[in-house]
Amino acid sequence: QAAVEYLGGALFVLAGAGSGKTRVITEKIAYMITQAGYKPHHIAAITFTNKAAKEMQERVLARLGREQTRGLTVCTFHSLGMRILREEAQHVGYKKNFSILDASDSARIIGELLGSTGREAVFKAQHQISLWKNNLQTPEAAFQAANDEWSKQVAQVYAAYQATLENYQAVDFDDLIRLPTLLLQQHSDVRLKWQQRLQYLLIDECQDTNACQYALMRALVGLEGRFTAVGDDDQSIYAWRGANMENLRRLQEDYPQIKIIKLEQNYRSTARILKVANHVIANNPKLFPKRLYSSLGEGEPVRVLACDHEQHEAERAVARIQSLRATAPQRSWRDFAVLYRANHQAKAFEQALRRAQIPYKVSGGQSFFDRAEIKDLCAWLRLWINEDDDPAFMRAATTPRRGIGHQTLAALGEFASRARLSLFGALFAHSL
């Protein structure tokens, strides 16, 4: 309740796992609109995934209804960045209908610039460029900081890659946050415009922010710190993609008057599960000490089983499911779940479940529409119905390979930009 009603400045809600952090955000939005006099279009709730944004939107709608939430912004960092970039495109030298390249499109360009077709080499370079962008490092700064030949080579590829994107009038996912951040930092009039539009920010999973996302947040909330950040240092698991838990420490340094409220009651798990979890993370570096507790009783003991190999592991899991269902026939198959660390581990469990004739559903993994050959076909279909779809044109023009390289596409992109045409339209235009 204290977290919901506090609007006196910057607020950090330290929300342990299962402690109701999404409830805090949705209830605070409702409180601000119905009690504190905020207009919905002046509030923005920022999440990290589309799924989290959709869940939050549904909860807010269920709480307030569509009419009272009209104009409210609930979206990911990338969606917010894209909204800013579409509206302010002229300030960064882009047309409003710039293209957004997905990871595979970016990898294709980087592979050509790198002169490599090896997936591992391309992925490694792409990942490094992404980390540089997330840290707001320019190609020049990356090259200066490079301490080995590989880093220097990738920094040069970074520079050429960025020039190619500009020629294509395209951005990648990292640019959707990087470019708006630089824009707001460098143009005070644009910054003031967006600060007046989004007068209060609620940031979910703050421990997952990287340097670029944190800088975007700071640019939007202003010196007054009109925000509520919800996070947990014990749930920071995305350092490999640039997330920086130190941003939680920086909150205290950048906003010395920040109020901290802890949510330590877990509503999801029994006491035994929390005890085991607390032991596992006891040696982690702690920015904010806390101790989760539960009122759901002690619960069953946690069992740790040793298995000979992955097939044996899958067989034991299936046997356990069968045993539990036999002793409680009222249980449905949907009452059970098998969690694994990576998608490639699903195969052994699928085989064991099939042998036992247990129906199952796999959640996650590669979508049918993410397969390369399906994306190639869809690119032609997209271009067929929309000649202005530049990413579709690029995929159709370069797959399969037909001698059209990035230099040709760069020249076409430069001409299309000057003529304010799509890449497809530029093919048939007269010279300027």
Side-chain angles (χ1 to χ4, degrees):
Q1 192 69 18
V4 165
E5 295 181 1
Y6 183 77
L7 291 168
L11 170 67
F12 174 54
V13 181
L14 180 65
S19 63
K21 63 181 178 60
T22 306
R23 177 87 181 270
V24 165
I25 294 176
T26 54
E27 288 294 326
K28 185 153 193 168
I29 291 171
Y31 175 79
M32 291 173 71
I33 293 172
T34 60
Q35 305 292 323
Y38 275 83
K39 302 293 184 186
H41 59 270
H42 286 155
I43 303 171
I46 315 300
T47 69
F48 274 83
T49 65
N50 290 320
K51 183 180 178 183
K54 185 179 179 184
E55 180 190 348
M56 199 174 290
Q57 283 173 332
E58 289 171 350
R59 287 207 199 182
V60 173
L61 274 174
R63 178 75 171 76
L64 291 178
R66 194 168 299 278
E67 194 58 40
Q68 277 191 293
T69 58
R70 196 175 302 280
L72 175 71
T73 296
V74 181
C75 65
T76 64
F77 270 101
H78 289 91
S79 296
L80 178 62
M82 182 178 69
R83 188 180 304 179
I84 296 171
L85 208 50
R86 290 279 187 213
E87 192 166 323
E88 313 294 346
Q90 73 278 8
H91 290 288
V92 290
Y94 275 81
K95 57 185 181 182
K96 285 189 182 294
N97 62 333
F98 58 81
S99 304
I100 302 171
L101 304 187
D102 65 15
S104 60
D105 293 326
S106 298
R108 185 184 294 108
I109 296 171
I110 291 171
E112 287 184 9
L113 295 171
L114 196 62
S116 171
T117 55
R119 288 181 62 185
E120 189 174 341
V122 173
F123 174 79
K124 190 178 176 185
Q126 186 178 23
H127 182 63
Q128 182 57 66
I129 291 170
S130 178
L131 290 177
W132 281 331
K133 287 191 173 191
N134 289 335
N135 282 322
L136 291 173
Q137 268 188 287
T138 63
E140 295 74 25
F143 186 82
Q144 291 294 325
N147 53 15
D148 57 57
E149 282 305 312
W150 180 82
S151 297
K152 288 181 179 178
Q153 182 191 7
V154 176
Q156 290 173 324
V157 169
Y158 176 18
Y161 169 65
Q162 209 53 38
T164 302
L165 290 187
E166 290 170 12
N167 286 333
Y168 287 177
Q169 284 285 291
V171 299
D172 60 18
F173 288 142
D174 296 315
D175 285 334
L176 287 177
I177 302 174
R178 185 182 70 90
L179 290 176
T181 300
L182 295 174
L183 171 67
L184 295 178
Q185 287 178 340
Q186 296 165 6
H187 292 77
S188 57
D189 55 333
V190 178
R191 183 170 66 249
L192 183 61
K193 168 186 169 182
W194 282 92
Q195 285 178 353
Q196 290 174 340
R197 182 179 299 183
L198 302 178
Q199 295 178 11
Y200 200 92
L201 258 61
L202 301 107
I203 301 99
D204 193 17
E205 306 287 13
C206 192
Q207 77 280 352
D208 290 337
T209 54
N210 57 41
C212 192
Q213 290 161 335
Y214 183 81
L216 178 61
M217 181 200 84
R218 285 208 68 199
L220 287 169
V221 301
L223 297 175
E224 302 89 353
R226 297 161 289 114
F227 69 87
T228 293
V230 181
D232 180 12
D233 50 346
D234 282 331
Q235 295 182 64
S236 180
I237 60 172
Y238 290 114
W240 56 273
R241 70 178 186 197
N244 188 355
M245 193 172 70
E246 285 299 305
N247 287 338
L248 297 185
R249 193 194 307 278
R250 286 185 62 191
L251 278 176
Q252 293 175 291
E253 296 170 358
D254 294 334
Y255 304 95
Q257 305 304 316
I258 193 168
K259 184 178 179 66
I260 298 175
I261 295 176
K262 294 182 182 181
L263 302 183
E264 296 177 291
Q265 182 173 356
N266 176 290
Y267 299 94
R268 184 186 297 157
S269 307
T270 57
R272 287 186 192 271
I273 291 174
L274 293 182
K275 186 178 180 182
V276 171
N278 284 328
H279 275 296
V280 169
I281 63 176
N283 295 315
N284 288 1
K286 300 281 185 183
L287 287 177
F288 303 96
K290 66 179 184 305
R291 191 77 180 176
L292 293 181
Y293 66 92
S294 171
S295 57
L296 299 178
E298 277 296 295
E300 293 182 37
V302 174
R303 301 173 65 199
V304 179
L305 305 177
C307 301
D308 298 332
H309 43 71
E310 59 182 11
Q311 285 77 22
H312 184 213
E313 178 184 41
E315 288 163 4
R316 291 199 70 166
V318 170
R320 177 69 174 155
I321 291 171
Q322 289 175 314
S323 169
L324 288 169
R325 195 161 184 268
T327 56
Q330 73 277 11
R331 281 180 169 154
S332 167
W333 293 122
R334 65 170 58 90
D335 292 333
F336 300 91
V338 177
L339 305 182
Y340 42 82
R341 184 176 53 82
N343 286 322
H344 69 84
Q345 294 173 301
K347 184 178 178 182
F349 290 106
E350 287 195 70
Q351 289 173 334
L353 289 165
R354 282 174 180 269
R355 281 195 298 270
Q357 296 185 323
I358 296 176
Y360 66 89
K361 178 183 177 184
V362 177
S363 178
Q366 188 183 41
S367 164
F368 174 77
F369 290 98
D370 284 338
R371 295 180 182 178
E373 62 274 19
I374 303 303
K375 292 180 78 170
D376 293 340
L377 175 60
C378 287
W380 283 100
L381 296 174
R382 283 164 48 197
L383 191 61
W384 188 14
I385 62 171
N386 178 15
E387 294 177 359
D388 291 337
D389 191 331
D390 287 349
F393 171 83
M394 285 171 56
R395 192 169 193 108
T398 56
T399 309
R401 292 183 178 276
R402 48 174 64 84
I404 303 174
H406 68 272
Q407 289 181 327
T408 303
L409 286 171
L412 180 64
E414 191 177 341
F415 174 79
S417 178
R418 290 201 314 271
R420 299 188 179 281
L421 295 168
S422 68
L423 294 175
F424 185 82
L427 286 177
F428 306 99
H430 295 294
S431 298
L432 295 176

